[in-house]
């Protein structure tokens, strides 16, 4: 049996000391990190971008099929994605946890391995946080801090008529990964003798359990001197994110179904589940891709980037938000993305 260390043996400060014992500072701007009343950072004349997110067991994740290390990684990445969505670069995070006594020190250590792996990959410093006990379950709250050159941040409310509508990567995979994991969980609960069969669906499961934030897209846009006219990350589903941009920018749009990027593995898995791949892309969520608009004259700069798809364009608000199907029919886009309160 693996060793199990009860957290109460360490106390809160002992726990924090233990979990943060190996932090390596990666940013010159980190003047003071973990270990004092507060952290001190200096962004050297840049503007500071801040976002925060909460992940709750049973609502945002299920520990039956989510390894703790992956959960630690994902909880950092989903926050960094919001920083990139502002056209900014993340530099720091704080991480707060509440957990019940069913979590051992070893379990938390595994979670933090994932946290540190994400920090290392994205060159971000963990500079503080809090731990608390909870009556049941596991609650994670992460705040991410980033920097951006003065007034280079990009909002959701600044798309203009005539702009191209673009998205990075591919869509729907995380939702299909989740659907597959949920199916296997149900089979397992009904018959614990049956081992889960994930059918070598490494891509879609990876997109659910270990998403990545699109650091590369932000770097590419900067290198090509493209400043998106509006941007947000796709966490709730493409359709609801498009409607956010349309509403907040007071514009409409035309989206082409055939232009929506969908991975082959997502397409075949959707068919297997009897789902429409386009519906998975529109309503799935948790892809953490970047949805952005840009001026038409920048189009030539992105043609060689296979990670960016132009999926439509922005119109006047009066035209509304529509999708043109592969069959040439026009439908209103409806928000069927994930809703945290349903």
């Amino acid at each position: 049996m693996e060793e199990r260390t009860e957290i109460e043996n360490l106390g809160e400060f002992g726990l924090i000391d233990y979990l943060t014992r190996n932090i390596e500072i990666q940013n010159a701007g980190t003047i003071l990190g973990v270990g004092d009343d507060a952290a001190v950072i200096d962004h050297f004349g840049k503007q500071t971008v801040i976002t925060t997110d909460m992940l709750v067991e049973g609502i945002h994740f299920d520990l039956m099929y989510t390894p703790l290390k992956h959960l630690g990684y994902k909880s950092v990445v989903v926050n960094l994605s919001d920083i990139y969505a502002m056209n900014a670069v993340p530099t720091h995070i704080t991480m707060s946890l509440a957990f019940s006594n069913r979590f051992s020190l070893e379990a938390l250590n595994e979670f933090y391995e994932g946290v540190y792996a994400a920090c290392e990959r994205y060159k971000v410093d963990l500079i503080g946080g809090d731990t608390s006990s909870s009556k049941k379950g596991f609650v994670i709250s992460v705040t991410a801090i980033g920097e951006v050159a003065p007034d280079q941040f990009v909002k959701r409310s600044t798309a203009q008529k005539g702009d191209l509508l673009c998205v990075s990567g591919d869509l729907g995979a995380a939702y299909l990964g989740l659907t597959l994991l949920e199916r296997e969980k149900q089979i397992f609960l009904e018959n614990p003798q049956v081992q889960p069969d994930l059918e070598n669906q490494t891509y879609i499961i990876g997109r659910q359990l270990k998403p990545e934030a699109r650091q590369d897209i932000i770097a590419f846009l900067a290198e090509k001197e493209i400043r998106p006219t509006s941007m947000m990350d796709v966490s709730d589903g493409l359709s609801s994110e498009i409607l956010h941009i349309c509403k907040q920018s007071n514009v409409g749009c035309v989206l082409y179904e055939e232009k929506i990027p969908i991975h082959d593995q997502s397409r075949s898995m959707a068919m297997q589940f009897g789902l429409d791949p386009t519906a998975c892309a529109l309503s799935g969520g948790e892809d953490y891709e970047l949805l952005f608009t840009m001026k038409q004259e920048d189009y030539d700069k992105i043609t060689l980037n296979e990670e960016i798809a132009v999926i439509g364009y922005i119109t006047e608000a009066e035209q509304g938000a529509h999708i043109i199907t592969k069959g040439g029919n026009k439908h209103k886009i409806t928000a069927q993305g994930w809703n945290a309160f349903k």
Side-chain angles (χ1 to χ4, degrees), residues 119-138:
C119 286
E120 197 174 323
R121 171 147 172 27
Y122 291 94
K123 301 282 177 272
V124 163
D125 290 332
L126 173 65
I127 53 166
D130 191 20
T131 57
S132 164
S133 57
S134 77
K135 287 278 179 239
K136 62 177 203 274
F138 193 28

Side-chain angles (χ1 to χ4, degrees), residues 125-300:
D125 290 332
L126 173 65
I127 53 166
D130 191 20
T131 57
S132 164
S133 57
S134 77
K135 287 278 179 239
K136 62 177 203 274
F138 193 28
V139 179
I140 305 158
S141 174
V142 179
T143 296
I145 299 163
E147 59 180 33
V148 64
D151 299 323
Q152 287 299 303
F153 57 87
V154 174
K155 301 190 288 186
R156 300 174 179 183
S157 57
T158 40
Q160 305 280 327
K161 179 194 164 187
D163 286 348
L164 299 173
L165 185 62
C166 309
V167 73
S168 66
D170 61 83
L171 300 169
Y175 171 74
L176 285 156
L178 179 65
T179 308
L180 178 59
L181 289 163
E182 284 287 344
R183 180 193 75 183
E184 291 305 314
K185 173 189 167 182
Q186 289 313 320
I187 294 171
F188 178 78
L189 289 175
E190 285 157 26
N191 185 354
Q193 270 66 55
V194 177
Q195 278 304 303
D197 176 13
L198 299 176
E199 302 176 29
N200 294 326
Q201 297 290 333
T202 46
Y203 184 72
I204 61 171
I205 287 170
R207 293 279 288 182
Q208 170 60 36
L209 295 180
K210 188 178 177 279
E212 299 292 356
R214 296 312 303 248
Q215 179 181 26
D216 57 324
I217 298 293
I218 296 306
F220 172 81
L221 294 172
E223 180 203 332
K224 295 290 182 195
E225 296 182 354
I226 299 170
R227 184 175 172 202
T229 50
S230 70
M231 184 157 55
M232 65 185 296
D233 72 334
V234 183
S235 50
D236 297 337
L238 180 64
S239 58
S240 57
E241 316 300 16
I242 284 178
L243 291 174
H244 279 304
I245 284 183
C246 287
K247 183 179 176 210
Q248 289 182 271
S249 296
N250 193 27
V251 294
C253 77
V254 173
L255 169 68
Y256 294 97
E257 180 187 14
E258 66 196 39
K259 303 278 189 202
I260 298 172
I262 297 173
H263 194 278
D264 289 345
Q265 206 178 93
S266 306
R267 217 177 276 284
S268 61
M269 202 67 211
M271 300 299 189
Q272 236 177 291
F273 282 128
L275 297 168
D276 174 21
T278 301
C280 296
L282 286 173
S283 307
E286 287 213 291
D287 288 308
Y288 301 104
E289 295 295 351
L290 291 172
L291 172 71
F292 61 96
T293 55
M294 64 176 212
K295 294 189 167 63
Q296 286 190 31
E297 55 259 35
D298 284 331
Y299 175 70
D300 289 346

